[in-house]
Amino acid sequence: MVFNIQEELKKLPTQPGVYLMHNKSDEIIYVGKAINLRNRVRQYFRESTQKTSKIEKMVSNISYFEYIVTDSELEALILECNLIKEHNPKYNTMLKDGKTYPYIKVTVGEAFPRILFTREMKKDKAKYFGPYTSAGAVNDIIELLKKIYRIRSCNRTFSEGNHEKQSRACLNYHIGRCNAPCMDYVSKEEYRKSVEGAISFLSGDYKPVIKELEDKMYAASERMEFEEAASYRDLINSVKHVTQKQKITSEEMENRDIIACSSMEDSAVVQVFFIRDGRLIGREHFHMNIDHFESKESILSQFVKQYYGGTPFIPKELVIQTEIEDMELVQSWLSSILGQKVRIIVPKRGEKHKLVELAAKNASMVLEKDSEKIKREEARTIGAMKRISDMLGLPYVTRVEAFDISNTSGFQSVGSMVVYENGKPKRADYRKFKIKTVKGPDDYKSMKEVLTRRFNHGLEQIADDEESGFTRFPDLIMMDGGRGQVNIALEVLEELKLSIPVCGMVKDDHHRTRGLYFNNKEIDIDVTSEEFRLITRIQDEAHRFAIEYHKSLRGKAQVQSVLDDIEGIGPARRKALMRYFKSLEDIKGAGVEELMMADGINRNVAENIYNFFH
């Protein structure tokens, strides 16, 4: 799919979110966050923007980018952290230290709970709040809660109904930071009420605390005690910073999928957010062909049945945009697959509802952005294949097979077969052939052997009622060359009594594709057309696949010939060395002790190998 970076930059939203940069191999090489996606992502591609050498190198490797819209920069930051942990992008070096974001932990499982700072959530009896973006603000809040609710901070163990009374209370009691449960100065019930007040504050009911702090700030200001007033102001800012609402991460340690869709005429996009152990670890969108203006209920119903009927993982909870058809039946079906109860819920308010809205917003943006991409992709694949079919006077060609030969002065001649279906490569059906009957550099005879073996093998498998890539015959054979290669293919097909159209991909004197040879005549093609680009891709792919196979055989032959000259090395030990060291250079550079790590290599043989290369 052609991704025009300059065109896609124009479509970026001005909302906060996370952007993901991909290289040509589809790997995520960078994840970043932005309060304004359009402004931030554009900076990477502006020549006037000064960049570090690392960023310049990263930009040079970007093949395409994608993004996820969020409701706030805070959510974008947390999502960025989660995605970096999940994908470990090459250019996010500043986060390679494994830094995590802080949580506030309330140890409600203890007789006298504590409020702690932590950077990881565990499946224990504690209650977690966060994550938060500022460790300093979290520490301020913990100190504030201790001061207001007099929560203990010591590590003493209080067993249920029994603990050793201390000889005296610690300093925190004397400065008003603890009610000293160790001295039995507070009952368990009273202490629990204080803890519940702190939990209520952390759950979002912080207005009473802010009101109390503001009153104290204004009172200190009126007394002209400005340092004290400033300290209250800083505490208020810390409270507001920490208590920002977040939807991206849930404090519940649950696995759930958030599902929403957006539709337009005969196309729909379903967006799924994957939440694992309370963290949003990623998302995926799925295109669906639908009837004109099909209802969301129907779209989501079909998606849930098709997707979760084939996925290896089903979460305990599906949070969906709207009720689906046969919801209870689908719920029972999924529960039977998972082996435990699966809930399908449609939230009307709260955190889950906001997450569904966020998924729907992203689905809508993907649908709008990808509708143009889909049209372009169809033009360069199905559309191009249709125009090639028309050009050759054939019915629509679904499957194309292309062949090529590679050798070096006749050494280790090999053949390649690549397959394209609907204008796209079908790599599972690629095949490679080591030439067995031809000596020397004779491409025509080598090609005849490859084609004969390919179609004979297919006919044998069809006769034996087998199924493989060989049993599916092509609608069109494309040969890397002109009249000579086409005639070789036609000769093989005639001998096997097969009727398959054959055309040649003709090159000019500069080894560039210039047209097709079909039915004894050459057909010129517009070099700017999508059909020409498709033909070139097929030809290049056949050539690449043959050369790669040839290189691998040359490398193996070189290793074999060198290692076979060493005393004590036979086929078994040669294979063991190559399994362990991967390359001849690694074997050359290894010491005796390291050589002995390979299976079957004793000290005498290892010394023979080492002495041979040194």
Side-chain angles (χ1 to χ4, degrees):
M1 188 179 297
V2 176
F3 186 91
N4 188 320
I5 288 179
Q6 294 305 319
E7 286 299 315
E8 296 302 327
L9 288 174
K10 297 175 184 176
K11 301 173 187 175
L12 283 165
T14 56
Q15 295 154 277
V18 172
Y19 53 91
L20 301 91
M21 305 298 195
H22 293 254
N23 64 13
K24 62 182 180 181
S25 300
D26 288 337
E27 297 171 322
I28 296 174
I29 59 173
Y30 187 80
V31 175
K33 71 168 181 66
I35 193 168
N36 184 316
L37 281 165
R38 178 178 295 176
N39 292 346
R40 184 70 186 95
V41 178
R42 280 182 169 184
Q43 288 178 357
Y44 289 102
F45 301 97
R46 285 194 190 123
E47 292 184 5
S48 59
T49 303
Q50 288 189 339
K51 308 178 188 73
T52 64
S53 58
K54 182 191 78 172
I55 293 299
E56 283 184 347
K57 190 173 180 181
M58 183 268 289
V59 171
S60 70
N61 282 289
I62 295 173
S63 179
Y64 69 95
F65 60 80
E66 56 180 328
Y67 52 86
I68 303 174
V69 174
T70 61
D71 277 353
S72 70
E73 186 181 17
L74 177 63
E75 291 179 13
L77 185 72
I78 296 165
L79 180 55
E80 175 197 36
C81 180
N82 291 341
L83 290 173
I84 288 170
K85 284 181 186 176
E86 180 70 13
H87 299 288
N88 196 24
K90 180 178 180 180
Y91 291 99
N92 283 95
T93 51
M94 67 283 191
L95 295 176
K96 293 285 185 182
D97 59 354
K99 178 182 176 182
T100 54
Y101 290 96
Y103 295 84
I104 293 176
K105 176 180 180 179
V106 183
T107 60
V108 293
E110 296 179 338
F112 292 91
R114 294 167 292 160
I115 300 175
L116 306 173
F117 178 104
T118 184
R119 288 191 179 272
E120 59 179 335
M121 292 177 72
K122 296 179 179 178
K123 291 186 177 181
D124 50 21
K125 295 180 180 180
K127 197 170 185 66
Y128 292 85
F129 298 88
Y132 304 105
T133 57
S134 169
V138 169
N139 283 321
D140 286 345
I141 289 298
I142 291 173
E143 288 304 308
L144 175 65
L145 292 174
K146 288 176 182 177
K147 185 175 182 180
I148 295 173
Y149 296 104
R150 301 169 72 91
I151 306 293
R152 74 182 181 99
S153 57
C154 63
N155 291 324
R156 289 169 184 161
T157 302
F158 291 80
S159 58
E160 193 65 35
N162 182 33
H163 65 270
E164 183 180 346
K165 186 176 177 179
Q166 301 298 309
S167 58
R168 61 180 178 179
C170 68
L171 179 63
N172 283 334
Y173 168 75
H174 295 289
I175 63 174
R177 296 291 182 91
C178 179
N179 279 328
C182 59
M183 299 295 294
D184 289 335
Y185 290 166
V186 61
S187 69
K188 188 175 179 181
E189 291 72 23
E190 288 177 296
Y191 189 91
R192 280 279 174 180
K193 286 182 181 178
S194 296
V195 172
E196 287 168 6
I199 290 173
S200 178
F201 171 85
L202 292 170
S203 298
D205 187 15
Y206 54 88
K207 289 182 181 179
V209 174
I210 288 182
K211 180 67 168 57
E212 181 182 342
L213 291 173
E214 286 177 342
D215 290 344
K216 291 180 177 180
M217 179 181 68
Y218 294 136
S221 181
E222 287 176 3
R223 297 192 305 269
M224 291 193 293
E225 295 175 355
F226 299 116
E227 287 187 9
E228 184 180 350
S231 69
Y232 284 123
R233 178 204 62 201
D234 292 342
L235 279 174
I236 292 169
N237 288 337
S238 290
V239 171
K240 289 180 177 178
H241 186 97
V242 170
T243 53
Q244 289 183 67
K245 280 282 185 182
Q246 328 169 359
K247 302 185 300 303
I248 286 298
T249 303
S250 168
E251 63 193 44
E252 301 173 33
M253 300 290 283
E254 287 291 339
N255 294 328
R256 62 168 59 96
D257 287 354
I258 311 296
I259 308 168
C261 73
S262 180
S263 60
M264 182 189 299
E265 296 181 351
D266 58 354
S267 296
V269 167
V270 178
Q271 181 86 47
V272 183
F273 287 174
F274 304 107
I275 295 178
R276 302 294 179 260
D277 294 330
R279 288 192 308 118
L280 175 60
I281 64 166
R283 63 93 179 85
E284 187 62 85
H285 63 264
F286 303 86
H287 288 277
M288 297 186 73
N289 292 323
I290 62 171
D291 291 333
H292 264 53
F293 305 107
E294 189 173 339
S295 68
K296 283 185 173 61
E297 293 88 342
S298 176
I299 295 167
L300 291 174
S301 177
Q302 292 300 317
F303 173 78
V304 169
K305 292 173 186 175
Q306 293 174 33
Y307 179 71
Y308 292 100
T311 184
F313 181 85
I314 298 174
K316 286 185 178 180
E317 188 173 88
L318 302 184
V319 183
I320 60 176
Q321 188 178 16
T322 184
E323 291 191 3
I324 62 173
E325 303 163 355
D326 302 323
M327 194 154 87
E328 289 187 11
L329 185 62
V330 172
Q331 191 169 262
S332 300
W333 170 59
L334 293 176
S335 299
S336 67
I337 296 174
L338 183 60
Q340 53 184 298
K341 186 172 178 58
V342 175
R343 294 197 310 151
I344 301 177
I345 63 171
V346 183
K348 302 300 182 185
R349 62 182 68 84
E351 176 188 337
K352 293 176 183 177
H353 177 64
K354 291 176 182 176
L355 271 171
V356 168
E357 287 184 327
L358 194 60
K361 184 189 298 183
N362 277 274
S364 179
M365 298 185 73
V366 168
L367 181 64
E368 185 177 342
K369 182 167 69 78
D370 283 2
S371 60
E372 295 180 19
K373 283 186 179 179
I374 292 168
K375 290 177 183 176
R376 289 199 303 268
E377 175 68 2
E378 287 182 349
R380 70 189 291 272
T381 54
I382 296 173
M385 203 69 255
K386 185 177 186 306
R387 286 187 290 275
I388 291 171
S389 306
D390 293 342
M391 188 188 309
L392 300 177
L394 300 172
Y396 177 68
V397 172
T398 300
R399 181 183 174 98
V400 171
E401 291 182 5
F403 298 83
D404 193 18
I405 300 294
S406 178
N407 65 66
T408 303
S409 300
F411 173 78
Q412 289 281 24
S413 291
V414 299
S416 69
M417 175 185 111
V418 300
V419 180
Y420 274 62
E421 286 193 359
N422 290 314
K424 296 179 183 179
K426 190 178 182 184
R427 293 184 174 85
D429 285 359
Y430 283 18
R431 293 293 183 270
K432 49 195 177 185
F433 305 83
K434 186 187 291 187
I435 304 303
K436 299 177 179 179
T437 62
V438 181
K439 302 294 184 184
D442 192 326
D443 285 357
Y444 284 173
K445 288 184 179 178
S446 297
M447 183 60 76
K448 183 173 183 178
E449 179 188 326
V450 167
L451 292 169
T452 302
R453 285 168 57 189
R454 182 266 177 269
F455 289 106
N456 261 333
H457 196 47
L459 290 169
E460 289 168 4
Q461 288 189 326
I462 291 170
D464 294 337
D465 204 22
E466 297 179 28
E467 287 190 12
S468 75
F470 276 130
T471 60
R472 176 90 188 276
F473 285 178
D475 303 311
L476 176 67
I477 297 171
M478 301 188 85
M479 306 299 297
D480 185 37
R483 182 193 299 268
Q485 294 282 14
V486 169
N487 287 340
I488 289 292
L490 291 172
E491 182 183 330
V492 171
L493 294 172
E494 186 177 353
E495 288 174 1
L496 298 175
K497 296 181 174 56
L498 294 172
S499 178
I500 302 172
V502 182
C503 72
M505 298 176 285
V506 186
K507 295 182 179 179
D508 59 21
D509 294 337
H510 301 286
H511 210 67
R512 293 176 301 203
T513 306
R514 72 170 187 236
L516 294 177
Y517 180 82
F518 184 68
N519 284 347
N520 294 317
K521 63 179 181 181
E522 190 171 316
I523 303 170
D524 292 328
I525 309 174
D526 179 3
V527 296
T528 64
S529 66
E530 290 293 354
E531 52 267 34
F532 178 84
R533 295 190 182 100
L534 176 58
I535 292 166
T536 303
R537 288 197 299 274
I538 294 172
Q539 193 170 35
D540 291 345
E541 181 70 349
H543 193 53
R544 177 200 65 79
F545 193 53
I547 287 176
E548 282 189 359
Y549 182 42
H550 188 251
K551 282 181 178 177
S552 73
L553 290 180
R554 288 208 317 266
K556 289 176 182 176
Q558 181 188 25
V559 170
Q560 178 174 337
S561 61
V562 172
L563 294 181
D564 283 352
D565 292 336
I566 302 173
E567 185 180 351
I569 298 295
R573 283 175 172 162
R574 184 177 68 241
K575 288 179 183 177
L577 285 166
M578 290 311 300
R579 273 198 304 269
Y580 186 82
F581 290 99
K582 307 302 181 188
S583 74
L584 186 61
E585 291 304 313
D586 289 343
I587 296 172
K588 288 180 180 179
V592 172
E593 298 298 329
E594 189 178 1
L595 288 164
M596 290 172 64
M597 300 295 288
D599 290 340
I601 305 298
N602 58 35
R603 181 169 292 277
N604 287 336
V605 175
E607 288 176 352
N608 288 344
I609 297 169
Y610 183 84
N611 293 334
F612 181 86
F613 289 117
H614 294 82

